Amino acid sequence: MTARNITRTIIVETPSRPGNLGKVTTAIGQAGGDIGDITTIKIGPLSTVRDITVQFESDEQLEVVVRAIEALGGGIYVHGVSDEVLRAHEGGKIRMVSKLDIRSLADLRRVYTPGVADVCRVIQEEPEKARYYTSIGNTVAIVTDGTAILGLGNIGPLAGMPVMEGKAALFDRFAGISGIPILLDTSDPDEVVRTIKNISHSFGGILLEDIGSPHCFEIEERLKRELPIPVMHDDQHGTAVVTLAAAISACRATGIELRDAVVGQIGLGAAGLAICRMFMAYGVKEMSGVDRQAAALDRLRQYGGTPLGSLEELMEKCDIVVATTGVPGLIKPEMIRQGQVILALSNPKPEIDPVCALKAGAAFAADGRSVNNVLGFPGIFRGVLNAGARDITHEMLVAAAQAIADCTSEGELAPHPLDPEVHRRVARAVEQVASQKN
Ligand SMILES: NC(=O)C1=CN([C@@H]2O[C@H](COP(=O)(O)OP(=O)(O)OC[C@H]3O[C@@H](n4cnc5c(N)ncnc54)[C@H](O)[C@@H]3O)[C@@H](O)[C@H]2O)C=CC1
Ligand SMILES: CC(=O)C(=O)O
Ligand SMILES: [Mg+2]
């Protein structure tokens, strides 16, 4: 069977004695399972039942893990394996709901016809009033063509829908913004730009998501130029913002001056090139990179970076390594140099597991789960929508990165994504810059 990343919850009962949970987690780890959350479901005098969420490479590995737990004996049982991820997706993750209760005929006439016609006329006379009398000012389109869904590649827009719904759920949760997924059945820049422009009246902003390189660059540039509302390609700039924040925090902790550090990038697609441009604009003098595509290396050169001959050379030379290739396990532990900062940002699996990188001598290491654009895009859009800004500028993105770095505790590379304060501070920082500009 093809290797894939699967998450399952294993329901395990152990005798209520110290040491049994340790035995179970050791058995899971030794069989290759990657443990996430552990939730205690029931503690009795004799036995304890826990849900243990584990990531696997394949169904075969799941079976090996379950057999390893069962082989422990001594009253340790596997009660079942549940696929909570699929269960959570049944019926989708988002829905449109009415903010108003419609119980009486008076409600109906206010919300709908005939009352609504008055509001239509107000907007017809003064189109800018749509911002106040409709949901447009708080609604962002989340647009994909399905060509670079996480690191899964060109799996098409329909298969990418769960990611788009996820982004919409995050917009709602962290910024109170309605995100509407839009799946495009074309990757042709002319068609994509035309389609988005034709539907743009419905939205206060456009978040481009998981659109692969190089066509993402032209699409974003043209939309930014031609639309009067904020447009941002998340995989480029959302990622660049959180990566800069992580690098600022790593340098603060290690005493390295970021601007003088040698930064190396593995993978120069949408995320990689935007990170390069962001770091250079921040003042980093030396950016190097590798990519399997010559055209990507040409683009790096064009932005002032230096293509290197091999991954090994890059790992040897650089103080900070940022990987955005989508290739799990590309960085081998023996390539890590003592004291390096490793940001292996590919999802759903990183180029090297951070624990492995730290064991191999890295001073700091993180993957795409913790250094993730979820720390950036909700607050960035909240900020520009609050300010009524027509664009998202480089200065706003740097302000967002600094806000994230300021929220990061000492010794960490990124703040906790569920901390509402992070999203509030990003929004405030972006709104401040946007308001100065207006
Ligand atoms: N942590 C985060 O917040 C984010 C992580 N990412 C991750 O970054 C990865 C790339 O995403 P995009 O930039 O949107 O895709 P992309 O398709 O635009 O870029 C990938 C680049 O990696 C290069 N590449 C692939 N295999 C390589 C190899 N073996 N050696 C050197 N270069 C190689 C490709 O030629 C391409 O230029 C994905 O896994 C994605 O999940 C992307 C955005 C946000
Ligand atoms: C996080 C994200 O946007 C990605 O991996 O593509
Ligand atoms: Mg993405």
Side-chain angles (χ1 to χ4, degrees), residues 160-338:
M161 182 61 166
V163 175
M164 305 310 127
E165 286 196 356
K167 296 278 177 184
L170 302 175
F171 256 143
D172 177 46
R173 172 78 169 74
F174 299 126
I177 290 171
S178 301
I180 309 286
I182 306 282
L183 308 181
L184 296 181
D185 212 1
T186 175
S187 294
D188 173 68
D190 288 336
E191 268 197 298
V192 171
V193 169
R194 194 178 324 118
T195 307
I196 296 177
K197 283 177 73 176
N198 281 336
I199 60 168
S200 64
H201 276 317
S202 324
F203 305 105
I206 309 283
L207 181 78
L208 303 172
E209 188 64 49
D210 291 356
I211 297 180
S213 57
H215 61 291
C216 64
F217 302 125
E218 178 184 345
I219 289 169
E220 193 206 38
E221 270 164 34
R222 283 174 57 182
L223 286 170
K224 276 178 86 72
R225 218 172 30 238
E226 294 173 30
L227 279 178
I229 54 174
V231 176
M232 183 178 91
H233 183 199
D234 191 25
D235 301 281
Q236 291 187 58
H237 312 294
T239 316
V241 161
V242 296
T243 310
L244 178 61
I248 291 171
S249 297
C251 287
R252 198 165 50 200
T254 51
I256 300 173
E257 172 50 53
L258 176 56
R259 291 177 176 86
D260 297 330
V262 183
V263 181
Q265 293 190 257
I266 311 168
L268 298 161
L273 262 194
I275 292 167
C276 167
R277 293 167 64 187
M278 182 80 162
F279 276 50
M280 294 202 88
Y282 187 76
V284 178
K285 296 178 199 83
E286 206 174 339
M287 297 292 299
S288 308
V290 292
D291 196 289
R292 59 177 185 188
Q293 294 184 56
L297 295 173
D298 286 344
R299 280 189 284 274
L300 173 69
R301 221 177 265 118
Q302 191 189 315
Y303 288 119
T306 311
L308 295 180
S310 69
L311 174 57
E312 287 74 14
E313 184 189 350
L314 183 141
M315 292 300 296
E316 179 58 40
K317 185 170 176 240
C318 297
D319 307 317
I320 300 174
V321 175
V322 183
T324 51
T325 61
V327 183
L330 185 65
I331 303 175
K332 306 293 171 218
E334 56 276 18
M335 295 176 179
I336 306 275
R337 212 183 66 190
Q338 291 296 310

Side-chain angles (χ1 to χ4, degrees), residues 148-151 163 167 209-210 234-235 239 345-348 368 372-374:
I149 299 295
L150 306 174
V163 175
K167 296 278 177 184
E209 188 64 49
D210 291 356
D234 191 25
D235 301 281
T239 316
L345 302 186
S346 286
N347 293 310
N372 190 291
N373 52 29
V374 62

Side-chain angles (χ1 to χ4, degrees), residues 380-403:
I380 292 171
F381 272 89
R382 182 71 278 151
V384 285
L385 292 179
N386 285 356
R390 295 160 70 96
D391 196 10
I392 294 173
T393 63
H394 173 72
E395 291 71 29
M396 294 176 201
L397 297 176
V398 173
Q402 194 60 58

